[in-house]
Amino acid sequence: MMETVLRQGLSALSLPEEGVPALLRYWELLAEKNQVMNLTAITDPVDAARLHFLDSAALPALEDFRGKRVVDVGTGAGFPGLPLKILEPSIRLTLLDAQRKRVDFLREVCEDLGLADVECVHGRAEAFAADHREGFDIAVSRAVASLPVLAELCLPLVNVGGRFLAMKSVDTEEELNAAGRAVSLLGGRLEKPIDYVISGTDIPRRLVIMTKISETPKKYPRTFAKIKKNPL
Ligand code: SAH
């Protein structure tokens, strides 16, 4: 059942189905580890196929990732970064998360699946920026923070001409309005968001897109305490 949902969902997005066995194995490892640590609230395989894998699959359906250096900020159990890597193997991927146990799990998955060019990094985005400023073509992130906070965590990591793609629910008008100022202070430009439904469902989602148009001033990102207390 999960396999069918995945195959149909990918095919509807015109994405190759070669990745399906790897996605199924990833789910097997995730469901097993989820028994002993908190990785996801989703336990039903069909729900996982839709809400984790096919939701992540929206990214390569909407943007050309081929050969790009990609960072997934606050990847948790690997979403959207790992499905993206499985579906578009040419990317060079960094999975970044502040929780060590989650990063350890991701390393196990990458090894099990034999994925090349994936780095699993334990750390906070605002600290990671010190060494990896403008080191990526694309940053992606799902379910980590509000847009003004996310912009400060992610835009410093993207090179000029690159993009930051934030996966959001459709209910983000207020956040979008609030983010405009932050995005321009950080050297970005807010593009028109793309609304879509998760493939094979009627669940609406929104991709918020920021293009990096100039270098981020060196004073950003600030410490997380400052970002949180006083979002741009
Ligand atoms: N992106 C995943 C996980 C969302 S949960 C998904 O959509 O399923 C949010 C994750 O972001 C947590 O794992 C948390 O550890 C991480 N996180 C929150 N703030 C962070 C920061 N500043 N730097 C890196 N990771 C962060």
Side-chain angles (χ1 to χ4, degrees):
M1 187 58 186
M2 184 184 198
E3 178 167 356
T4 314
V5 170
L6 284 174
R7 286 192 185 279
Q8 285 173 350
L10 292 175
S11 147
L13 293 170
S14 303
L15 290 171
E17 293 174 44
E18 286 113 77
V20 169
L23 292 174
L24 292 172
R25 175 66 183 149
Y26 174 19
W27 174 246
E28 196 171 47
L29 295 166
L30 178 49
E32 187 185 298
K33 191 61 116 191
N34 206 35
Q35 314 259 352
V36 292
M37 65 180 275
N38 176 24
L39 286 168
T40 175
I42 295 167
T43 52
D44 178 70
V46 169
D47 288 344
R50 293 181 170 138
L51 300 173
H52 282 328
F53 297 130
L54 292 174
D55 189 29
S56 302
L59 286 179
L62 294 171
E63 174 92 7
D64 185 2
F65 279 88
R66 282 173 299 174
K68 300 272 170 73
R69 292 169 303 169
V70 180
V71 60
D72 181 3
V73 174
T75 187
F79 302 106
L82 260 190
L84 176 62
K85 172 70 186 174
I86 291 168
L87 296 169
E88 183 46 74
S90 69
I91 65 170
R92 283 174 281 164
L93 176 65
T94 299
L95 296 169
L96 177 65
D97 201 277
Q99 274 196 39
R100 182 181 294 279
K101 280 185 175 174
R102 294 184 165 179
V103 177
D104 290 343
F105 165 72
L106 294 171
R107 288 205 183 96
E108 285 170 30
V109 176
C110 290
E111 194 178 333
D112 186 285
L113 298 180
L115 295 175
D117 294 322
V118 186
E119 231 192 327
C120 302
V121 179
H122 170 236
R124 301 196 56 92
E126 61 278 14
F128 185 71
D131 292 339
H132 297 83
R133 225 179 161 76
E134 292 171 359
F136 297 90
D137 304 305
I138 305 182
V140 298
S141 190
R142 186 182 81 159
V144 174
S146 68
L147 285 172
V149 172
L150 270 184
E152 186 164 352
L153 295 178
C154 297
L155 276 175
L157 298 173
V158 177
N159 59 7
V160 174
R163 314 247 263 174
F164 168 41
L165 309 174
M167 304 182 76
K168 285 281 172 184
S169 67
V170 280
D171 162 33
T172 48
E173 292 311 326
E174 236 173 83
E175 252 186 270
L176 265 177
N177 293 334
R181 195 181 103 88
V183 174
S184 55
L185 282 172
L186 294 159
R189 181 179 66 210
L190 204 48
E191 309 290 353
K192 195 174 168 329
I194 301 179
D195 288 346
Y196 63 95
V197 292
I198 297 178
S199 189
T201 78
D202 51 12
I203 302 166
R205 286 281 189 263
R206 173 170 292 168
L207 192 64
V208 174
I209 304 169
M210 301 173 197
T211 304
K212 183 89 169 246
I213 54 172
S214 59
E215 274 184 32
T216 301
K218 292 287 180 285
K219 62 182 170 189
Y220 304 121
R222 298 163 294 163
T223 63
F224 195 67
K226 284 190 182 142
I227 296 174
K228 234 179 113 180
K229 189 164 167 237
N230 203 356
L232 290 174

